[in-house]
Amino acid sequence: MDQNGQLEKQNKELMDQIAAMRQMLAKQAGTSPQDLEKVTADATPSRTPENTTAGAASTLTGSSEAKTQQASATLASGKEKSNFWSPYTLNQGYKIANTEYGDVNLSIYAYGRYLNQRALEPTYTNAFGVTSNLQRRQDFQLNKVQIKFLGWAMSPKFRYFLYAWTSNATQGQGAQVVLAGNLNYTFNKYLTVGAGIFSLPGARSVEGNFPFWLSVDSRLIADEFFRPSYSSGIKASGTIAKGLTYQAMVANNRSTLGVSAAQLPNRFNTISSVLVWMPKGEYGPGWGDFENNKSTVTRFGFHFNHSDENKQSQPNSDSFENVQMRLSDGSVIFTPNLFGPGITITDARYKMVSFDAGIKRRGFALEGEYYWQWFNDFRGTNTSNLPTDYAYGYQLQASAMLKPKSLQLYAGGSEIIGQYGRPWDFRAGANYFPFGNKVVRWNSEFLYVYRSPVGYSSVPYPLGGTGPIFHTTLELAF
C-alpha cells in the first residue's frame, strides 16, 4: 500500500508538471491550453499505479511527445529555458543542452570505406625523369571520424563550432588527430565575423558544403590540385543583396595541417574569397539535386586566392590532408635541384582564380568549375631566371535521382593542363539513401586516373597513380 501511495504521488506530480508546461507553451503560442492538450493527449500517463512507470517512459519517447518537443523547441527562443532535447537538424545533430546562457548541439560524422587500388600501374615517372614505386592498396578503414559541438553562448549572435577530427587511414602521420574550431559573431545579415580555423573559400568544395558531395569525402583530381585547404585566420561572410553572398578570409598560409606556429612567416599574405550569385533562389548546400527542385535553380561562383608561401610553412609531402604547391606532374616546387643542379626555391607566390556554375531541376544537376593558377616571384638559390608556371584545369559533374530521396547516379571528370603534364580522371558512382535523407548513405564508385598529380592515404587515389580504382563506403552524417 505504501508503494502504491508513493506511485500515486509521483503520478500526480508528473501530471502537474505536464499541465504547467501546457500553460507555458499555450501562453507563448497564443493558443488555449485545450488546443495544446490535443498535441500531448496520447503522451499522458495512465493513473493506475502499475502503469505509472510505463506511462512516464512513454511521455519521453512517444510519438505525440515528439510533437511536444518540436513545439517546445520552436516556441522557446532567445533566453527562454527548455528541458527538452530538440528535434534533429541536418548536419547539426541533436540539441543536448538549452539554457538561458546558451545551447549545445552534438553532431557526428564517420564513414567506413573499402578501397581497391590493385589494378594501378606499379610505377610513376614524373616530368623530370624520376621514377617512383606506388603502393597499391587494398584495405578497409573507418576512414574518418568527426565529433562536432556547435551552438551559441551568452547571445544567439555569438556562436561557436568546435570539433575533434581524425583520419584513421593516416595513423602515425602529422595532424592525424585534429582539435579545432572557430568562434563567430553575427552583426546582421550583411556581416558575420569569425576567428579560428576555417576552410579557405578559394574553390567551391571549400565553401563549407562538406559532406554534401556526390562522392564521399573525395574530390576530382583537378579540384584537389587547385583548391586551398584549412588555415587559421579571420573570416567575414554575409549577404550583399538578394541572391548574392560573399566569404573572405585572411589567413596564416594555404594549409595549417601539419604546420606548427613556429614554421609560419611573420606576415598575413594569404587571402581567399568567393562571391556567389543564385539568381533563381536557394541552390542548396552541395552537388546534385537530392531536394528535387520543381523549378530550375542556378548558381554562379567566382573565387580568388593569393598566398606568399615558403618551404618552411609547407606541410611534409606525406602529411594528412596535404595541400602543396605542386607542378602539373605532382612535383613539389620546393624540392631541391628540381629545376636543375644548384636551383632551390625557398619562397614563391601562389595565385588562383576559379569560376563555377551549376543548374538543378527535378532531380537532375549539371555542375562545373574552371581553374587558373600561377606560381611566380620565386626566391632562393639560382631562381632569378625561373619563368612563371601556369596551370589550367576544369571539372564537370552530372547527376540524376533515379528514385527521389533514395537512389542517385552520377558521373564526372576533370583535367589539369600544365607545362609539366596533362593529367585527368573520370568517375562514375551511385548513392543509396536507405532512410530517405542524407544522414545515412551507401556510396559505390569506380574511378580511372591518369598520372594523378595529387594523392594521399585519406583519398582513394595515390600521387602518380594511373589506372582503375574501386571503393565502396557507408557514411553517417548527422
Side-chain angles (χ1 to χ4, degrees), residues 96-150:
I96 60 175
N98 187 18
T99 76
E100 61 184 323
Y101 299 110
D103 64 13
V104 180
N105 289 272
L106 173 64
S107 176
I108 293 175
Y109 177 79
Y111 65 89
R113 182 184 70 188
Y114 166 76
L115 173 66
N116 191 326
Q117 302 174 341
R118 296 184 65 183
L120 290 174
E121 293 183 7
T123 62
Y124 172 64
T125 301
N126 67 16
F128 299 91
V130 178
T131 299
S132 56
N133 295 320
L134 298 186
Q135 180 186 15
R136 296 175 291 176
R137 294 165 48 197
Q138 179 179 223
D139 55 49
F140 175 83
Q141 298 283 347
L142 182 64
N143 209 56
K144 185 171 288 185
V145 176
Q146 185 178 20
I147 302 173
K148 300 177 283 186
F149 297 91
L150 60 159

Short mmCIF file of all heavy atoms in Angstrom, two decimals, residues 96-150:
data_model
loop_
_atom_site.label_atom_id
_atom_site.label_comp_id
_atom_site.label_asym_id
_atom_site.label_seq_id
_atom_site.Cartn_x
_atom_site.Cartn_y
_atom_site.Cartn_z
N ILE A 96 21.64 19.02 -27.11
CA ILE A 96 21.78 18.28 -25.86
C ILE A 96 21.73 19.20 -24.64
O ILE A 96 21.71 18.72 -23.52
CB ILE A 96 23.07 17.45 -25.85
CG1 ILE A 96 24.30 18.34 -26.00
CG2 ILE A 96 23.03 16.40 -26.94
CD1 ILE A 96 25.63 17.59 -25.88
N ALA A 97 21.73 20.51 -24.86
CA ALA A 97 21.56 21.46 -23.76
C ALA A 97 20.96 22.74 -24.32
O ALA A 97 21.30 23.17 -25.42
CB ALA A 97 22.90 21.77 -23.08
N ASN A 98 20.04 23.34 -23.55
CA ASN A 98 19.39 24.58 -23.97
C ASN A 98 19.08 25.39 -22.72
O ASN A 98 18.16 25.07 -21.97
CB ASN A 98 18.10 24.27 -24.76
CG ASN A 98 17.49 25.53 -25.35
OD1 ASN A 98 18.16 26.56 -25.48
ND2 ASN A 98 16.24 25.45 -25.73
N THR A 99 19.88 26.42 -22.46
CA THR A 99 19.75 27.20 -21.23
C THR A 99 19.65 28.68 -21.57
O THR A 99 19.78 29.09 -22.72
CB THR A 99 20.97 26.98 -20.31
OG1 THR A 99 22.09 27.72 -20.82
CG2 THR A 99 21.33 25.51 -20.22
N GLU A 100 19.46 29.48 -20.55
CA GLU A 100 19.38 30.92 -20.75
C GLU A 100 20.72 31.53 -21.13
O GLU A 100 20.78 32.67 -21.61
CB GLU A 100 18.86 31.60 -19.48
CG GLU A 100 19.75 31.38 -18.26
CD GLU A 100 19.15 31.99 -17.01
OE1 GLU A 100 18.54 33.08 -17.14
OE2 GLU A 100 19.28 31.40 -15.94
N TYR A 101 21.80 30.78 -20.96
CA TYR A 101 23.13 31.29 -21.28
C TYR A 101 23.69 30.73 -22.59
O TYR A 101 24.76 31.11 -23.01
CB TYR A 101 24.10 30.98 -20.15
CG TYR A 101 23.70 31.60 -18.83
CD1 TYR A 101 23.24 30.81 -17.78
CD2 TYR A 101 23.76 32.98 -18.65
CE1 TYR A 101 22.86 31.38 -16.58
CE2 TYR A 101 23.38 33.56 -17.45
CZ TYR A 101 22.93 32.76 -16.42
OH TYR A 101 22.54 33.34 -15.24
N GLY A 102 22.98 29.81 -23.23
CA GLY A 102 23.46 29.25 -24.47
C GLY A 102 22.93 27.85 -24.69
O GLY A 102 22.17 27.31 -23.88
N ASP A 103 23.33 27.24 -25.81
CA ASP A 103 22.92 25.87 -26.10
C ASP A 103 24.09 25.10 -26.69
O ASP A 103 25.12 25.67 -27.07
CB ASP A 103 21.69 25.83 -27.00
CG ASP A 103 21.92 26.41 -28.38
OD1 ASP A 103 23.09 26.64 -28.76
OD2 ASP A 103 20.94 26.65 -29.10
N VAL A 104 23.93 23.79 -26.78
CA VAL A 104 24.95 22.89 -27.30
C VAL A 104 24.27 21.89 -28.23
O VAL A 104 23.28 21.24 -27.84
CB VAL A 104 25.69 22.13 -26.19
CG1 VAL A 104 26.74 21.19 -26.79
CG2 VAL A 104 26.32 23.08 -25.20
N ASN A 105 24.79 21.76 -29.43
CA ASN A 105 24.35 20.73 -30.37
C ASN A 105 25.49 19.74 -30.56
O ASN A 105 26.66 20.14 -30.67
CB ASN A 105 23.98 21.34 -31.72
CG ASN A 105 22.70 22.13 -31.65
OD1 ASN A 105 21.61 21.61 -31.82
ND2 ASN A 105 22.83 23.43 -31.40
N LEU A 106 25.16 18.46 -30.61
CA LEU A 106 26.14 17.40 -30.85
C LEU A 106 25.87 16.79 -32.21
O LEU A 106 24.76 16.39 -32.52
CB LEU A 106 26.03 16.32 -29.77
CG LEU A 106 26.89 15.06 -29.98
CD1 LEU A 106 28.37 15.40 -29.94
CD2 LEU A 106 26.54 14.00 -28.95
N SER A 107 26.92 16.73 -33.03
CA SER A 107 26.82 16.16 -34.37
C SER A 107 28.00 15.23 -34.60
O SER A 107 29.11 15.51 -34.15
CB SER A 107 26.80 17.28 -35.42
OG SER A 107 26.78 16.77 -36.73
N ILE A 108 27.76 14.14 -35.32
CA ILE A 108 28.79 13.13 -35.56
C ILE A 108 28.87 12.83 -37.05
O ILE A 108 27.84 12.71 -37.72
CB ILE A 108 28.52 11.84 -34.77
CG1 ILE A 108 28.65 12.11 -33.27
CG2 ILE A 108 29.47 10.73 -35.19
CD1 ILE A 108 28.29 10.92 -32.41
N TYR A 109 30.09 12.71 -37.55
CA TYR A 109 30.32 12.30 -38.93
C TYR A 109 31.35 11.18 -38.94
O TYR A 109 32.39 11.26 -38.27
CB TYR A 109 30.84 13.47 -39.77
CG TYR A 109 31.16 13.07 -41.20
CD1 TYR A 109 30.15 12.93 -42.14
CD2 TYR A 109 32.46 12.80 -41.60
CE1 TYR A 109 30.42 12.54 -43.44
CE2 TYR A 109 32.75 12.42 -42.89
CZ TYR A 109 31.72 12.29 -43.81
OH TYR A 109 31.99 11.89 -45.09
N ALA A 110 31.07 10.11 -39.69
CA ALA A 110 32.01 9.00 -39.80
C ALA A 110 31.66 8.18 -41.03
O ALA A 110 30.52 8.19 -41.51
CB ALA A 110 31.96 8.11 -38.55
N TYR A 111 32.66 7.48 -41.56
CA TYR A 111 32.38 6.54 -42.65
C TYR A 111 33.42 5.42 -42.67
O TYR A 111 34.57 5.61 -42.32
CB TYR A 111 32.31 7.25 -44.01
CG TYR A 111 33.58 7.88 -44.51
CD1 TYR A 111 34.49 7.16 -45.27
CD2 TYR A 111 33.87 9.22 -44.26
CE1 TYR A 111 35.65 7.75 -45.76
CE2 TYR A 111 35.01 9.83 -44.75
CZ TYR A 111 35.90 9.08 -45.50
OH TYR A 111 37.05 9.67 -45.99
N GLY A 112 32.93 4.25 -43.08
CA GLY A 112 33.80 3.11 -43.30
C GLY A 112 33.94 2.88 -44.80
O GLY A 112 32.95 2.93 -45.54
N ARG A 113 35.16 2.60 -45.26
CA ARG A 113 35.42 2.50 -46.70
C ARG A 113 36.27 1.28 -47.03
O ARG A 113 37.30 1.03 -46.40
CB ARG A 113 36.16 3.75 -47.18
CG ARG A 113 36.43 3.77 -48.70
CD ARG A 113 37.26 4.98 -49.09
NE ARG A 113 38.62 4.88 -48.61
CZ ARG A 113 39.52 5.87 -48.68
NH1 ARG A 113 39.16 7.04 -49.18
NH2 ARG A 113 40.75 5.70 -48.23
N TYR A 114 35.82 0.53 -48.05
CA TYR A 114 36.65 -0.50 -48.66
C TYR A 114 37.27 0.11 -49.91
O TYR A 114 36.59 0.70 -50.75
CB TYR A 114 35.82 -1.72 -49.05
CG TYR A 114 36.57 -2.66 -49.98
CD1 TYR A 114 37.58 -3.49 -49.50
CD2 TYR A 114 36.29 -2.67 -51.34
CE1 TYR A 114 38.29 -4.33 -50.36
CE2 TYR A 114 36.98 -3.51 -52.21
CZ TYR A 114 37.98 -4.34 -51.71
OH TYR A 114 38.69 -5.15 -52.57
N LEU A 115 38.59 -0.06 -50.07
CA LEU A 115 39.33 0.55 -51.17
C LEU A 115 40.17 -0.52 -51.88
O LEU A 115 40.84 -1.33 -51.24
CB LEU A 115 40.25 1.65 -50.64
CG LEU A 115 41.23 2.29 -51.63
CD1 LEU A 115 40.48 3.06 -52.71
CD2 LEU A 115 42.20 3.22 -50.89
N ASN A 116 40.14 -0.49 -53.22
CA ASN A 116 40.95 -1.42 -54.01
C ASN A 116 41.67 -0.64 -55.11
O ASN A 116 41.05 -0.14 -56.04
CB ASN A 116 40.06 -2.51 -54.63
CG ASN A 116 40.88 -3.63 -55.23
OD1 ASN A 116 41.97 -3.44 -55.76
ND2 ASN A 116 40.35 -4.85 -55.15
N GLN A 117 43.01 -0.55 -54.97
CA GLN A 117 43.87 0.11 -55.96
C GLN A 117 44.79 -0.88 -56.68
O GLN A 117 45.74 -0.46 -57.35
CB GLN A 117 44.74 1.17 -55.27
CG GLN A 117 44.01 2.25 -54.53
CD GLN A 117 44.98 3.15 -53.76
OE1 GLN A 117 46.13 2.77 -53.50
NE2 GLN A 117 44.52 4.34 -53.39
N ARG A 118 44.52 -2.15 -56.60
CA ARG A 118 45.49 -3.17 -57.04
C ARG A 118 45.71 -3.18 -58.55
O ARG A 118 46.70 -3.73 -59.04
CB ARG A 118 45.05 -4.55 -56.55
CG ARG A 118 45.03 -4.65 -55.03
CD ARG A 118 44.68 -6.04 -54.57
NE ARG A 118 45.70 -7.02 -54.96
CZ ARG A 118 45.60 -8.33 -54.73
NH1 ARG A 118 44.52 -8.80 -54.11
NH2 ARG A 118 46.55 -9.15 -55.11
N ALA A 119 44.78 -2.56 -59.31
CA ALA A 119 44.93 -2.56 -60.77
C ALA A 119 45.73 -1.36 -61.28
O ALA A 119 45.93 -1.22 -62.49
CB ALA A 119 43.56 -2.58 -61.43
N LEU A 120 46.23 -0.50 -60.39
CA LEU A 120 47.04 0.65 -60.81
C LEU A 120 48.39 0.17 -61.34
O LEU A 120 48.90 -0.89 -60.97
CB LEU A 120 47.28 1.59 -59.63
CG LEU A 120 46.09 2.39 -59.11
CD1 LEU A 120 46.47 3.15 -57.85
CD2 LEU A 120 45.57 3.36 -60.17
N GLU A 121 48.97 0.98 -62.20
CA GLU A 121 50.34 0.70 -62.66
C GLU A 121 51.30 0.81 -61.47
O GLU A 121 51.13 1.67 -60.60
CB GLU A 121 50.73 1.68 -63.76
CG GLU A 121 49.92 1.50 -65.04
CD GLU A 121 50.37 2.44 -66.15
OE1 GLU A 121 51.40 3.12 -65.96
OE2 GLU A 121 49.70 2.47 -67.20
N PRO A 122 52.31 -0.05 -61.40
CA PRO A 122 53.16 -0.12 -60.20
C PRO A 122 54.14 1.02 -60.04
O PRO A 122 54.66 1.23 -58.94
CB PRO A 122 53.89 -1.45 -60.36
CG PRO A 122 53.92 -1.69 -61.85
CD PRO A 122 52.64 -1.11 -62.38
N THR A 123 54.47 1.75 -61.11
CA THR A 123 55.46 2.82 -61.00
C THR A 123 54.94 4.10 -61.66
O THR A 123 53.98 4.07 -62.44
CB THR A 123 56.79 2.42 -61.69
OG1 THR A 123 56.55 2.20 -63.09
CG2 THR A 123 57.37 1.17 -61.05
N TYR A 124 55.62 5.21 -61.33
CA TYR A 124 55.28 6.50 -61.92
C TYR A 124 56.57 7.25 -62.20
O TYR A 124 57.47 7.33 -61.35
CB TYR A 124 54.41 7.31 -60.96
CG TYR A 124 54.18 8.73 -61.40
CD1 TYR A 124 53.47 9.00 -62.56
CD2 TYR A 124 54.67 9.81 -60.65
CE1 TYR A 124 53.24 10.31 -62.98
CE2 TYR A 124 54.44 11.12 -61.05
CZ TYR A 124 53.73 11.36 -62.21
OH TYR A 124 53.52 12.66 -62.63
N THR A 125 56.67 7.82 -63.41
CA THR A 125 57.83 8.63 -63.78
C THR A 125 57.35 10.05 -64.03
O THR A 125 56.49 10.29 -64.88
CB THR A 125 58.51 8.08 -65.04
OG1 THR A 125 58.91 6.72 -64.81
CG2 THR A 125 59.73 8.92 -65.40
N ASN A 126 57.92 11.01 -63.28
CA ASN A 126 57.46 12.39 -63.41
C ASN A 126 58.11 13.08 -64.62
O ASN A 126 58.86 12.46 -65.38
CB ASN A 126 57.70 13.17 -62.12
CG ASN A 126 59.18 13.38 -61.81
OD1 ASN A 126 60.06 13.21 -62.66
ND2 ASN A 126 59.47 13.76 -60.57
N ALA A 127 57.81 14.36 -64.81
CA ALA A 127 58.29 15.10 -65.99
C ALA A 127 59.79 15.29 -65.99
O ALA A 127 60.37 15.65 -67.02
CB ALA A 127 57.58 16.45 -66.05
N PHE A 128 60.46 15.06 -64.85
CA PHE A 128 61.89 15.26 -64.76
C PHE A 128 62.64 13.93 -64.83
O PHE A 128 63.85 13.87 -64.57
CB PHE A 128 62.23 15.99 -63.46
CG PHE A 128 61.60 17.35 -63.36
CD1 PHE A 128 60.35 17.50 -62.78
CD2 PHE A 128 62.23 18.47 -63.88
CE1 PHE A 128 59.75 18.75 -62.70
CE2 PHE A 128 61.64 19.72 -63.80
CZ PHE A 128 60.39 19.86 -63.22
N GLY A 129 61.93 12.85 -65.14
CA GLY A 129 62.56 11.55 -65.33
C GLY A 129 62.78 10.75 -64.07
O GLY A 129 63.45 9.71 -64.11
N VAL A 130 62.23 11.18 -62.96
CA VAL A 130 62.39 10.47 -61.69
C VAL A 130 61.28 9.44 -61.56
O VAL A 130 60.09 9.77 -61.64
CB VAL A 130 62.37 11.43 -60.49
CG1 VAL A 130 62.49 10.66 -59.19
CG2 VAL A 130 63.48 12.46 -60.63
N THR A 131 61.64 8.17 -61.36
CA THR A 131 60.68 7.08 -61.24
C THR A 131 60.51 6.67 -59.78
O THR A 131 61.50 6.56 -59.04
CB THR A 131 61.13 5.86 -62.07
OG1 THR A 131 61.22 6.23 -63.45
CG2 THR A 131 60.13 4.72 -61.93
N SER A 132 59.27 6.48 -59.39
CA SER A 132 58.98 6.05 -58.02
C SER A 132 58.00 4.89 -58.05
O SER A 132 57.19 4.75 -58.98
CB SER A 132 58.41 7.20 -57.19
OG SER A 132 57.25 7.74 -57.82
N ASN A 133 58.08 4.04 -57.03
CA ASN A 133 57.17 2.91 -56.89
C ASN A 133 55.90 3.35 -56.16
O ASN A 133 55.97 4.14 -55.20
CB ASN A 133 57.83 1.76 -56.12
CG ASN A 133 59.00 1.17 -56.86
OD1 ASN A 133 58.95 0.99 -58.08
ND2 ASN A 133 60.07 0.86 -56.14
N LEU A 134 54.76 2.84 -56.60
CA LEU A 134 53.49 3.17 -55.96
C LEU A 134 53.05 2.05 -55.04
O LEU A 134 53.24 0.86 -55.35
CB LEU A 134 52.40 3.41 -57.01
CG LEU A 134 52.59 4.56 -57.99
CD1 LEU A 134 51.34 4.73 -58.84
CD2 LEU A 134 52.90 5.85 -57.26
N GLN A 135 52.48 2.42 -53.92
CA GLN A 135 51.83 1.45 -53.06
C GLN A 135 50.39 1.27 -53.54
O GLN A 135 49.60 2.21 -53.53
CB GLN A 135 51.84 1.90 -51.60
CG GLN A 135 51.18 0.90 -50.68
CD GLN A 135 51.05 1.40 -49.25
OE1 GLN A 135 51.21 2.60 -49.00
NE2 GLN A 135 50.76 0.51 -48.33
N ARG A 136 50.06 0.07 -53.97
CA ARG A 136 48.72 -0.22 -54.47
C ARG A 136 47.94 -0.91 -53.35
O ARG A 136 48.17 -2.08 -53.06
CB ARG A 136 48.80 -1.06 -55.73
CG ARG A 136 49.49 -0.33 -56.88
CD ARG A 136 49.67 -1.22 -58.09
NE ARG A 136 50.63 -2.28 -57.85
CZ ARG A 136 50.92 -3.24 -58.72
NH1 ARG A 136 50.29 -3.28 -59.89
NH2 ARG A 136 51.80 -4.18 -58.44
N ARG A 137 47.01 -0.18 -52.77
CA ARG A 137 46.38 -0.63 -51.54
C ARG A 137 45.10 -1.43 -51.79
O ARG A 137 44.40 -1.24 -52.77
CB ARG A 137 46.03 0.58 -50.66
CG ARG A 137 47.21 1.34 -50.14
CD ARG A 137 46.81 2.69 -49.59
NE ARG A 137 45.67 2.61 -48.70
CZ ARG A 137 44.92 3.66 -48.36
NH1 ARG A 137 45.18 4.85 -48.86
NH2 ARG A 137 43.91 3.51 -47.53
N GLN A 138 44.83 -2.33 -50.85
CA GLN A 138 43.52 -2.93 -50.69
C GLN A 138 43.28 -3.04 -49.19
O GLN A 138 43.97 -3.80 -48.51
CB GLN A 138 43.41 -4.30 -51.36
CG GLN A 138 42.03 -4.92 -51.15
CD GLN A 138 41.87 -6.26 -51.81
OE1 GLN A 138 40.86 -6.56 -52.42
NE2 GLN A 138 42.88 -7.14 -51.67
N ASP A 139 42.33 -2.27 -48.69
CA ASP A 139 42.11 -2.28 -47.24
C ASP A 139 40.70 -1.79 -46.92
O ASP A 139 40.00 -1.24 -47.77
CB ASP A 139 43.15 -1.43 -46.51
CG ASP A 139 43.25 0.00 -47.02
OD1 ASP A 139 42.21 0.67 -47.14
OD2 ASP A 139 44.38 0.47 -47.29
N PHE A 140 40.32 -1.99 -45.67
CA PHE A 140 39.10 -1.41 -45.12
C PHE A 140 39.49 -0.50 -43.97
O PHE A 140 40.29 -0.88 -43.11
CB PHE A 140 38.14 -2.49 -44.62
CG PHE A 140 36.92 -1.91 -43.94
CD1 PHE A 140 35.84 -1.47 -44.68
CD2 PHE A 140 36.89 -1.75 -42.57
CE1 PHE A 140 34.73 -0.90 -44.07
CE2 PHE A 140 35.80 -1.19 -41.94
CZ PHE A 140 34.71 -0.76 -42.69
N GLN A 141 38.92 0.71 -43.95
CA GLN A 141 39.24 1.67 -42.90
C GLN A 141 37.96 2.34 -42.41
O GLN A 141 37.05 2.63 -43.20
CB GLN A 141 40.17 2.78 -43.42
CG GLN A 141 41.52 2.32 -43.91
CD GLN A 141 42.47 2.00 -42.79
OE1 GLN A 141 42.23 2.34 -41.62
NE2 GLN A 141 43.57 1.34 -43.13
N LEU A 142 37.86 2.54 -41.08
CA LEU A 142 36.92 3.53 -40.57
C LEU A 142 37.62 4.85 -40.83
O LEU A 142 38.34 5.38 -39.99
CB LEU A 142 36.64 3.33 -39.09
CG LEU A 142 35.63 4.31 -38.48
CD1 LEU A 142 34.26 4.14 -39.10
CD2 LEU A 142 35.55 4.14 -36.97
N ASN A 143 37.44 5.37 -42.03
CA ASN A 143 38.39 6.32 -42.59
C ASN A 143 38.43 7.65 -41.85
O ASN A 143 39.49 8.22 -41.64
CB ASN A 143 38.06 6.57 -44.07
CG ASN A 143 39.28 6.93 -44.88
OD1 ASN A 143 40.24 6.17 -44.88
ND2 ASN A 143 39.26 8.07 -45.53
N LYS A 144 37.28 8.16 -41.47
CA LYS A 144 37.27 9.47 -40.80
C LYS A 144 36.21 9.47 -39.72
O LYS A 144 35.12 8.92 -39.90
CB LYS A 144 37.00 10.59 -41.81
CG LYS A 144 37.09 11.99 -41.23
CD LYS A 144 37.02 13.05 -42.32
CE LYS A 144 38.30 13.08 -43.13
NZ LYS A 144 38.31 14.17 -44.13
N VAL A 145 36.52 10.12 -38.61
CA VAL A 145 35.57 10.33 -37.52
C VAL A 145 35.64 11.79 -37.10
O VAL A 145 36.74 12.31 -36.88
CB VAL A 145 35.87 9.43 -36.30
CG1 VAL A 145 34.92 9.75 -35.16
CG2 VAL A 145 35.77 7.96 -36.68
N GLN A 146 34.50 12.44 -37.04
CA GLN A 146 34.44 13.83 -36.62
C GLN A 146 33.31 13.98 -35.61
O GLN A 146 32.17 13.58 -35.86
CB GLN A 146 34.20 14.76 -37.80
CG GLN A 146 34.26 16.25 -37.45
CD GLN A 146 34.08 17.15 -38.65
OE1 GLN A 146 33.56 16.73 -39.68
NE2 GLN A 146 34.50 18.38 -38.55
N ILE A 147 33.63 14.55 -34.44
CA ILE A 147 32.64 14.83 -33.40
C ILE A 147 32.57 16.34 -33.25
O ILE A 147 33.58 16.99 -32.94
CB ILE A 147 33.02 14.16 -32.07
CG1 ILE A 147 33.16 12.65 -32.28
CG2 ILE A 147 31.98 14.45 -31.00
CD1 ILE A 147 33.70 11.92 -31.07
N LYS A 148 31.39 16.91 -33.46
CA LYS A 148 31.23 18.37 -33.52
C LYS A 148 30.32 18.87 -32.40
O LYS A 148 29.29 18.27 -32.12
CB LYS A 148 30.64 18.78 -34.88
CG LYS A 148 31.49 18.37 -36.08
CD LYS A 148 30.81 18.73 -37.38
CE LYS A 148 29.69 17.76 -37.72
NZ LYS A 148 29.11 18.03 -39.06
N PHE A 149 30.73 19.96 -31.79
CA PHE A 149 29.91 20.67 -30.82
C PHE A 149 29.69 22.09 -31.35
O PHE A 149 30.66 22.80 -31.65
CB PHE A 149 30.61 20.73 -29.45
CG PHE A 149 30.83 19.39 -28.83
CD1 PHE A 149 32.01 18.69 -29.06
CD2 PHE A 149 29.85 18.80 -28.04
CE1 PHE A 149 32.22 17.44 -28.50
CE2 PHE A 149 30.06 17.55 -27.46
CZ PHE A 149 31.25 16.87 -27.70
N LEU A 150 28.45 22.49 -31.46
CA LEU A 150 28.15 23.81 -32.00
C LEU A 150 26.92 24.39 -31.32
O LEU A 150 26.05 23.67 -30.85
CB LEU A 150 27.97 23.76 -33.51
CG LEU A 150 26.85 22.88 -34.08
CD1 LEU A 150 26.49 23.36 -35.49
CD2 LEU A 150 27.27 21.42 -34.17
#
